[in-house]
């Protein structure tokens, strides 16, 4: 865990350890180049970053309103 320094998830490419699957998946996306996209064209490695962006994205919020 974060507090003990022990990790459940390990990157097989660079051997970096992660305590949560979300951290691991975001890290793997950096190796593979896989990103999540907003309708405005901005891209993100983490879904929480995309969701945070969508709250303030003018193009996204205007699309939702229509």
């Amino acid at each position: 865990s974060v507090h003990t320094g022990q990790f459940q998830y390990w990157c097989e490419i660079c051997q970096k350890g992660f305590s949560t699957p979300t951290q691991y998946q975001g890290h793997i996306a950096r190796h593979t180049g896989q990103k999540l996209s907003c309708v405005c064209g901005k891209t993100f490695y983490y879904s929480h970053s995309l969701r945070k962006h969508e709250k303030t994205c003018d193009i996204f919020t205007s699309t939702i309103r229509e």
Side-chain angles (χ1 to χ4, degrees):
S1 75
V2 173
H3 300 291
T4 63
Q6 296 176 351
F7 303 109
Q8 285 187 291
Y9 307 93
W10 292 92
C11 175
E12 294 180 5
I13 298 169
C14 69
Q15 287 70 49
K16 187 172 181 177
F18 301 92
S19 56
T20 68
T22 302
Q23 292 172 331
Y24 171 74
Q25 290 165 353
H27 174 79
I28 292 300
R30 292 180 183 268
H31 284 302
T32 63
Q34 182 180 15
K35 295 182 181 182
L36 305 167
S37 299
C38 179
V39 294
C40 73
K42 287 192 175 187
T43 59
F44 303 89
Y45 287 111
Y46 297 98
S47 60
H48 68 270
S49 299
L50 173 60
R51 286 192 306 273
K52 182 178 178 181
H53 166 77
E54 288 173 341
K55 290 179 182 179
T56 59
C57 176
D58 293 334
I59 295 171
F60 181 79
T61 55
S62 66
T63 303
I64 294 296
R65 287 186 207 128
E66 293 177 358

